Amino acid sequence: MKDKKDNTYIWWKHGVIYHLYIRSFFDSNNDGIGDLNGVTEKLDYLKELGVDAIWLSPFFKSPQVDFGYDVSNYIKIHPEYGTIDDFKTLIKEAHKRGIRIIIDMILNHTSNQHDWFVESRSSKDNPKRDWYIWQKSDKKNPPNNWRTPFGKKAWEYDKNTNEYYFHSFFKEQPDLNWRNPNVEKALFQDIRYWLDLGVDGLRLDVINLIVKDKKLRDNPSFLNQIIKPDEVYSRDRPTSIKIIKSLRQLLDTYENRMCVGEIYALPPGNSKLVAKYMDKGDNALNMAFDFSLIFARWSANKYRKVLTTGYQNIPIKGWPCTVLSNHDLNRNKAKPLFANHAKVAKLKALLSMTLYGTPFIYYGEEIGMKNVKVPYNKLKDRIGKMYWPFYTGRDKSRTPLHWNSSAHAGFSNNMPWLPVDREYKKYNIDQQSSDKNSILNAYRELIRIRKTYKVFNKGRWSLVSSASKHILAYERKRKDKQLIILLNFSRLPKQTHQYKDYHILFSTSRDNNQSHKSLKLAGLEGVILSKDKLI
Ligand code: NOJ
């Protein structure tokens, strides 16, 4: 796919990326499960929303123990999602509309059903034995104290060869041994397959976990880990960055491709660690997810700090991105603000569309989808069942998208794989499309504004003084163009400074283009101010 005439245009820096959880987006064949053809059918909706690329959750062949994050063949399509021809159609149709495709590559582990693991497990002298992390130890004592968030044990004893294998996640997801160069060769070959088909980018799953300590040393003691988890030997080993750099070199042999990495950190939101994986900014990850904002307390001050620290850590040639929810973490969870859900959702839209860096929208965020309470007997995520009722798992943020008010929210004609939010008739795409004050229309308008004003892409971001501690105030500035963004985090109205000669270019709760003498923000209102009227 060719870029626009402007040769400074870089799609993943200028664009807005939509994170699409394929299982819950749209079901084209009415089996209750979203699929590739469902995405193709809805491309015009995404085009109208204004997105430039979609990141598809994994659709490779998989036993679905971890809903696609357990891959048994990287170049085959899981039948529930369609066929390779469906994928080719999707790419063709997406590109026709100027929408790029990013796929999710899981390099840290495979499924235990992958041929590589089946071979590796078969005997100690199998040529693929060393493709995974095998270790001897006696039956009662695993080789070391490494842990997994997905259960009790991270080492699984295999009776067949009387050795343990390591898994960072479920036992059906054995970790690959990236110290063996054949692993890199095989996976890079599979990646090339997709790049040759025209895939534009890769989202790299838990990419900082891929290399483990050579000697498999114990992580600092258990007690220590509870206080401050310090998994120094099971993640973030120096060799990971070397592998990421060679993957970047591979990507750079193609035109206009990119990779964005998920950096797994405990506790989440370590922007310094995240930035490390971009290295100089032009030789490793193009972008890396920083989850700090997802975990930030709802306060202007907290957001101020998180944003400033995040930007300070970005390498000079690096590029940030903004993410507010995803398929593992909660959707909008500002509890004290539940009654003001729509206002908060619009405020967050304003934030992500005016920050410095590429915005990611998690499907449904554009209509303010909420966490859904999934009863125990309908849970699909195994960790939800495992830790119920203390932790109910990730299903709550993976429920079907609300297209309209018909049965099953228009997602499918059949019972969906996860229950639909009971409130779907109150808020869905159809209904919000025709409401000019809806969250959806706020997204559409903000994306349009972001694209119209180059300052959002190229301009610098800096905090400006604010008349109230509840108002997050920043500017985007480039040459003589300046926009001021004010977000009132309080439920109460707040007076701002005098912004003489400025117009309200956009507001989350009043008509655009108003001029004003003295500006008082309503509770949870956000605005973009400009000296010119809206283009
Ligand atoms: C991170 C993914 O986002 C999550 O869904 C998955 O379970 C783990 N990595 C393991 O692949």
Side-chain angles (χ1 to χ4, degrees):
M1 194 173 128
K2 281 276 167 235
D3 276 325
K4 304 189 177 146
K5 300 127 248 161
D6 178 358
N7 61 7
T8 61
Y9 177 88
I10 299 169
W11 68 269
W12 53 269
K13 282 189 175 178
H14 287 68
V16 172
I17 300 177
Y18 189 88
H19 171 191
L20 190 156
Y21 197 71
I22 191 167
R23 231 178 149 76
S24 289
F25 186 69
F26 185 66
D27 175 15
S28 73
N29 61 353
N30 293 312
D31 61 356
I33 294 170
D35 44 49
L36 292 167
N37 286 338
V39 181
T40 309
E41 266 187 53
K42 297 292 186 184
L43 282 171
D44 288 332
Y45 163 73
L46 295 169
K47 178 80 191 153
E48 199 189 338
L49 178 58
V51 306
D52 299 83
I54 49 183
W55 146 29
L56 294 167
S57 59
F59 49 80
F60 315 110
K61 196 165 171 233
S62 155
Q64 303 291 316
V65 169
D66 192 16
F67 293 104
Y69 287 94
D70 49 321
V71 181
S72 54
N73 189 316
Y74 289 87
I75 55 170
K76 291 218 166 113
I77 308 263
H78 183 63
E80 284 174 333
Y81 299 136
T83 64
I84 191 67
D85 285 336
D86 298 337
F87 182 76
K88 288 181 185 164
T89 309
L90 168 59
I91 278 223
K92 198 170 112 220
E93 291 300 316
H95 283 178
K96 231 196 247 172
R97 292 165 175 79
I99 298 176
R100 318 256 171 175
I101 301 285
I102 298 170
I103 60 169
D104 207 322
M105 282 310 289
I106 301 104
L107 305 182
N108 177 66
H109 46 268
T110 66
S111 154
N112 61 351
Q113 310 287 310
H114 196 297
D115 285 349
W116 301 339
F117 187 73
V118 174
E119 280 189 49
S120 179
R121 180 181 230 169
S122 65
S123 75
K124 282 187 195 165
D125 51 17
N126 183 281
K128 293 211 169 57
R129 181 67 171 180
D130 186 47
W131 283 37
Y132 293 84
I133 303 171
W134 290 97
Q135 189 65 10
K136 322 196 253 285
S137 189
D138 62 67
K139 259 190 180 166
K140 284 193 190 122
N141 299 300
N144 64 24
N145 71 353
W146 296 357
R147 299 189 307 155
T148 163
F150 280 25
K152 290 186 197 122
K153 302 177 295 170
W155 288 95
E156 185 67 15
Y157 189 73
D158 188 52
K159 277 192 261 159
N160 188 35
T161 53
N162 297 323
E163 282 191 348
Y164 284 86
Y165 68 85
F166 177 67
H167 53 94
S168 295
F169 299 96
F170 292 127
K171 68 176 188 324
E172 291 85 353
Q173 294 167 293
D175 279 38
L176 284 156
N177 174 19
W178 277 83
R179 293 189 183 274
N180 182 327
N182 291 323
V183 168
E184 175 171 319
K185 245 187 243 158
L187 272 162
F188 280 17
Q189 191 179 322
D190 287 351
I191 289 175
R192 257 188 227 109
Y193 170 81
W194 293 105
L195 296 173
D196 291 338
L197 273 185
V199 160
D200 302 281
L202 309 175
R203 177 264 186 187
L204 303 171
D205 190 59
V206 291
I207 197 63
N208 59 323
L209 263 59
I210 53 174
V211 182
K212 320 292 184 296
D213 182 48
K214 222 181 202 164
K215 296 187 191 147
L216 306 178
R217 280 170 284 186
D218 272 348
N219 280 326
S221 79
F222 186 65
L223 187 64
N224 213 349
Q225 288 201 40
I226 292 177
I227 302 164
K228 182 177 175 292
D230 198 3
E231 308 196 329
V232 282
Y233 294 119
S234 50
R235 64 180 63 168
D236 298 309
R237 304 304 297 162
T239 315
S240 326
I241 193 92
K242 279 198 196 142
I243 294 167
I244 293 173
K245 284 183 185 169
S246 59
L247 177 55
R248 173 68 186 264
Q249 278 167 12
L250 163 68
L251 283 170
D252 287 350
T253 59
Y254 292 78
E255 222 183 320
N256 283 333
R257 313 298 162 103
M258 60 73 92
C259 59
V260 52
E262 180 199 26
I263 307 302
Y264 188 94
L266 281 175
N270 181 343
S271 63
K272 203 169 188 171
L273 180 73
V274 165
K276 200 171 101 183
Y277 286 92
M278 284 182 259
D279 198 43
K280 294 201 185 82
D282 59 355
N283 59 342
L285 293 179
N286 297 78
M287 295 189 283
F289 291 129
D290 176 357
F291 299 135
S292 308
L293 277 179
I294 303 185
F295 289 88
R297 191 168 27 87
W298 183 253
S299 105
N301 205 23
K302 184 72 194 166
Y303 273 58
R304 231 173 261 135
K305 280 191 194 135
V306 166
L307 291 168
T308 317
T309 320
Y311 288 142
Q312 272 162 0
N313 286 322
I314 298 289
I316 293 178
K317 292 186 187 158
W319 190 255
C321 57
T322 308
V323 46
L324 300 178
S325 54
N326 71 20
H327 64 294
D328 292 326
L329 306 170
N330 285 305
R331 290 189 182 272
N332 263 327
K333 199 194 157 201
K335 260 205 187 129
L337 300 161
F338 274 176
N340 295 299
H341 177 76
K343 288 185 186 164
V344 175
K346 282 202 232 168
L347 213 51
K348 287 195 170 183
L350 171 63
L351 178 81
S352 92
M353 294 307 148
T354 55
L355 285 176
Y356 167 56
T358 304
F360 279 73
I361 302 173
Y362 181 45
Y363 85 98
E365 204 170 282
E366 75 276 21
I367 53 166
M369 268 180 69
K370 301 172 188 165
N371 281 339
V372 175
K373 254 198 188 145
V374 180
Y376 183 82
N377 63 354
K378 298 233 166 93
L379 280 186
K380 294 289 181 316
D381 182 16
R382 204 202 270 177
I383 43 174
K385 293 186 197 163
M386 223 176 235
Y387 297 116
W388 176 275
F390 306 104
Y391 170 64
T392 53
R394 300 166 294 177
D395 292 332
K396 54 173 150 334
S397 61
R398 298 176 175 178
T399 57
L401 183 56
H402 311 171
W403 290 98
N404 54 46
S405 305
S406 65
H408 312 304
F411 161 76
S412 173
N413 287 342
N414 236 316
M415 188 59 85
W417 74 290
L418 273 179
V420 172
D421 186 354
R422 273 191 285 181
E423 290 186 1
Y424 76 87
K425 286 190 181 155
K426 282 201 226 148
Y427 72 109
N428 57 57
I429 290 168
D430 252 16
Q431 166 260 327
Q432 291 201 11
S433 292
S434 52
D435 169 1
K436 85 174 182 10
N437 296 319
S438 65
I439 304 170
L440 180 60
N441 279 324
Y443 266 95
R444 286 178 177 153
E445 179 64 355
L446 282 162
I447 296 176
R448 194 184 77 77
I449 292 178
R450 183 174 177 91
K451 289 185 177 167
T452 309
Y453 291 89
K454 282 212 169 94
V455 69
F456 283 120
N457 179 255
K458 299 229 159 76
R460 69 180 168 78
W461 177 95
S462 47
L463 290 172
V464 293
S465 119
S466 146
S468 156
K469 67 173 184 181
H470 297 288
I471 296 179
L472 171 64
Y474 52 88
E475 67 172 7
R476 302 298 316 270
K477 194 167 186 194
R478 181 174 182 244
K479 299 183 189 150
D480 57 349
K481 182 81 202 159
Q482 181 218 25
L483 298 176
I484 292 181
I485 293 96
L486 306 174
L487 298 103
N488 180 9
F489 275 62
S490 166
R491 272 168 284 187
L492 303 175
K494 296 285 163 199
Q495 187 68 45
T496 72
H497 289 312
Q498 292 294 323
Y499 291 102
K500 245 179 88 215
D501 307 331
Y502 281 86
H503 298 274
I504 300 178
L505 192 74
F506 175 88
S507 159
T508 56
S509 55
R510 65 181 99 183
D511 286 344
N512 296 342
N513 275 342
Q514 290 180 4
S515 49
H516 54 88
K517 293 219 167 54
S518 134
L519 178 61
K520 192 175 205 173
L521 293 182
L524 298 169
E525 181 183 5
V527 292
I528 305 176
L529 301 180
S530 161
K531 287 201 171 155
D532 322 303
K533 285 203 171 187
L534 187 62
I535 305 175

